[in-house]
Amino acid sequence: MGAEPGERATLVQFSTAFCQPCRATRRVLDEVAGMVEGVAHVEVDAESRLDLVRRLGVRGTPTVLVLDASGRVVRGAGGQPRKADVIAALGSAIR
């Protein structure tokens, strides 16, 4: 995806340039990644990575995928997430 994954988990955010909820999602994911050691936040421009959008079934922005340490998608959701939901989703990825 063009960025280093997290050692324990990766929060992958699909965004577009004019997506207002994407900005708020970026703040939430950055904050969570900063709180949990070994977790990285990677933002992907959906318009420039249509190959990934199609392969992963992304239907809109923002879309957030939670990947475990091996890069497997363990959770995914569309729309602007709440911080508590992101933290809970990380529980599925970090064992």
Side-chain angles (χ1 to χ4, degrees), residues 21 26-29 32-33 35 39-40 74 84:
R26 179 183 311 118
R27 285 190 297 275
V28 168
L29 298 183
V32 171
M35 291 171 38
V39 174
V74 295

Side-chain angles (χ1 to χ4, degrees), residues 6-87:
E7 186 177 301
R8 298 174 67 200
T10 306
L11 302 170
V12 179
Q13 174 185 348
F14 285 87
S15 300
T16 51
F18 298 104
C19 168
Q20 188 67 28
C22 293
R23 294 181 190 126
T25 298
R26 179 183 311 118
R27 285 190 297 275
V28 168
L29 298 183
D30 279 343
E31 186 176 337
V32 171
M35 291 171 38
V36 183
E37 187 175 334
V39 174
H41 171 219
V42 175
E43 190 167 2
V44 177
D45 177 18
E47 294 172 319
S48 67
R49 294 302 309 267
L50 291 176
D51 58 323
L52 282 176
V53 167
R54 289 183 187 111
R55 190 169 79 211
L56 296 171
V58 173
R59 301 276 182 234
T61 58
T63 293
V64 177
L65 303 177
V66 179
L67 282 58
D68 64 14
S70 67
R72 183 178 58 94
V73 177
V74 295
R75 297 277 181 152
Q80 183 179 333
R82 295 180 319 139
K83 185 164 109 176
D85 294 334
V86 175
I87 293 168

